[in-house]
Amino acid sequence: MNNESIIVTQDLSRLFGSLAAVDKLTFHVNRGELFGIVGPDGAGKTTTMRMLAGILEPSSGDAWINGVSITKDPEGIKESLAYMPQRFGLYQDLTVMENLIFYADLFQTPKKERSARIEKLFGFSRLGPFKDRAAGALSGGMKQKLGLACALIHEPQLLLLDEPTNGVDPVSRRDFWKILYDLLKEGISILVTTAYLDEAERAGRVALMNNGSVMELGKPEELKAKTPGVIVEFITPDPSTAKSVIEKIPEVQDANIFGEGLHLRISDNQASERVKTELERRRIEVQSFKRIEPSMEDAFLYLIQRDEKKPDTEAHPTE
């Protein structure tokens, strides 16, 4: 295996009956890299993570964690990694400190090293003032930080994080990502799944996943550059009505509601004036319109629509 890669997958697949939850995934994660897998619910993200963690057996294909095969030695891979599922197994009645001690026992962390490791974990997570508080009494963001601290107690080389900020408030999400960047500086490799497209911008490389397959893989700026045409943002008090009108204009290739406005993918700059004229003719107020750079969400929506237009045999080769 390539010594520069801590994860290598080759045609990794998982079937549930006739459904291909994960279909022939082939990618690698470099050592010291923060790699993101992004996709909607049902894309296959969690199934992929569970296979890489040695919890779920692949139907076909293989993957190697730190050079160890997940199919031939699923127990052997666990020395190198920590897996934090969406619902990490914290013990709600135990305190923060008791949870850390429990996981130190579980991972057989040498007792002479525990004190220093726990202090270090308290340092980046800011959980120290809450060490005697029951885990069940923590906020959602603090629980995620405790889950991460417990996963790190044995100092793994690789972190597998499955939607770690799902349902967490924006401030806690920001703090959690700051912790991940700090871990990167220490040389820990991180594979994270998320349904938040803005979080994908934070990863070094991203795999955009849909229906069990990777549609595109690359750096965020590379993926955004794949969006063809011109992206224009229209702000209007009634984006839903405006969308139904705009979609009938031939020059408009896509129209999607974003917050209080619309993002349009159009053929050229002149088309935006034609859109504005048509909306005004229909007496739909246009508060502002401007050309913008494609966001990760623009790129993802384009790729999803492109993927869904493929013939069934091409989009779902296993079915």
Side-chain angles (χ1 to χ4, degrees):
M1 305 308 315
N2 184 349
N3 288 331
E4 294 180 358
S5 299
I6 194 162
I7 299 176
V8 176
T9 76
Q10 184 64 50
D11 292 334
L12 190 65
S13 302
R14 175 67 196 202
L15 297 173
F16 291 102
S18 61
L19 173 67
V22 172
D23 185 19
K24 297 181 181 177
L25 290 192
T26 299
F27 65 89
H28 70 275
V29 177
N30 296 319
R31 295 184 187 277
E33 181 178 30
L34 198 164
F35 187 99
I37 298 179
V38 185
D41 290 343
K45 303 186 302 294
T46 294
T47 301
T48 299
M49 294 295 261
R50 294 187 69 196
M51 285 192 288
L52 292 176
I55 296 170
L56 187 65
E57 186 177 351
S59 300
S60 61
D62 204 348
W64 294 263
I65 306 292
N66 214 14
V68 180
S69 164
I70 67 170
T71 58
K72 295 176 182 174
D73 191 5
E75 288 303 312
I77 67 172
K78 295 177 183 178
E79 295 178 8
S80 301
L81 64 82
Y83 170 52
M84 185 174 162
Q86 292 180 36
R87 292 179 177 82
F88 193 76
L90 293 174
Y91 289 85
Q92 305 294 316
D93 294 335
L94 296 183
T95 66
V96 168
M97 179 64 84
E98 287 168 342
N99 268 285
L100 283 167
I101 292 171
F102 172 80
Y103 277 94
D105 288 337
L106 190 66
F107 288 120
Q108 299 180 337
T109 304
K111 292 193 175 180
K112 63 181 180 180
E113 297 177 13
R114 292 186 184 186
S115 222
R117 290 192 190 183
I118 288 172
E119 282 306 309
K120 182 180 177 182
L121 293 170
F122 279 158
F124 79 71
S125 66
R126 300 180 185 174
L127 284 168
F130 309 97
K131 65 180 181 181
D132 296 321
R133 182 175 295 184
L138 297 173
S139 67
M142 295 295 275
K143 283 180 181 176
Q144 291 300 83
K145 288 180 184 179
L146 177 56
L148 182 59
C150 290
L152 290 168
I153 192 70
H154 67 303
E155 297 188 340
Q157 298 177 51
L158 171 67
L159 264 178
L160 302 178
L161 305 175
D162 191 13
E163 298 199 34
T165 58
N166 188 31
V168 175
D169 67 89
V171 174
S172 295
R173 282 174 60 196
R174 181 197 64 199
D175 291 346
F176 194 89
W177 275 88
K178 183 180 181 301
I179 290 171
L180 296 189
Y181 285 138
D182 289 341
L183 293 172
L184 272 185
K185 291 174 186 175
E186 295 187 9
I188 294 176
S189 309
I190 301 171
L191 175 60
V192 58
T193 69
T194 180
Y196 296 115
L197 273 298
D198 61 315
E199 289 190 343
E201 305 259 9
R202 302 171 182 263
R205 287 188 304 137
V206 180
L208 298 180
M209 208 171 167
N210 189 42
N211 293 327
S213 299
V214 171
M215 299 184 296
E216 293 285 350
L217 189 157
K219 296 178 181 179
E221 57 269 26
E222 294 171 342
L223 297 177
K224 288 185 286 186
K226 290 180 180 289
T227 310
V230 175
I231 304 295
V232 177
E233 179 185 68
F234 273 78
I235 303 298
T236 172
D238 188 1
S240 182
T241 300
K243 182 175 184 288
S244 64
V245 171
I246 287 169
E247 285 178 326
K248 295 173 182 158
I249 299 173
E251 294 90 348
V252 175
Q253 296 161 350
D254 289 318
N256 295 292
I257 294 175
F258 277 69
E260 298 177 350
L262 291 160
H263 282 197
L264 313 184
R265 189 166 60 84
I266 57 180
S267 54
D268 53 55
N269 282 323
Q270 287 70 37
S272 63
E273 288 290 348
R274 291 192 284 276
V275 171
K276 182 174 181 289
T277 299
E278 181 63 19
L279 289 175
E280 290 172 344
R281 189 179 75 81
R282 299 289 191 99
R283 297 184 178 179
I284 298 172
E285 181 186 355
V286 177
Q287 295 171 329
S288 70
F289 74 100
K290 62 182 178 181
R291 180 174 178 174
I292 60 173
E293 291 300 315
S295 67
M296 184 63 77
E297 194 161 353
D298 291 317
F300 189 72
L301 288 170
Y302 162 70
L303 291 167
I304 286 270
Q305 290 160 0
R306 186 197 68 180
D307 194 53
E308 289 175 349
K309 289 175 184 176
K310 291 179 182 178
D312 286 346
T313 54
E314 184 181 353
H316 306 287
T318 61
E319 296 181 2

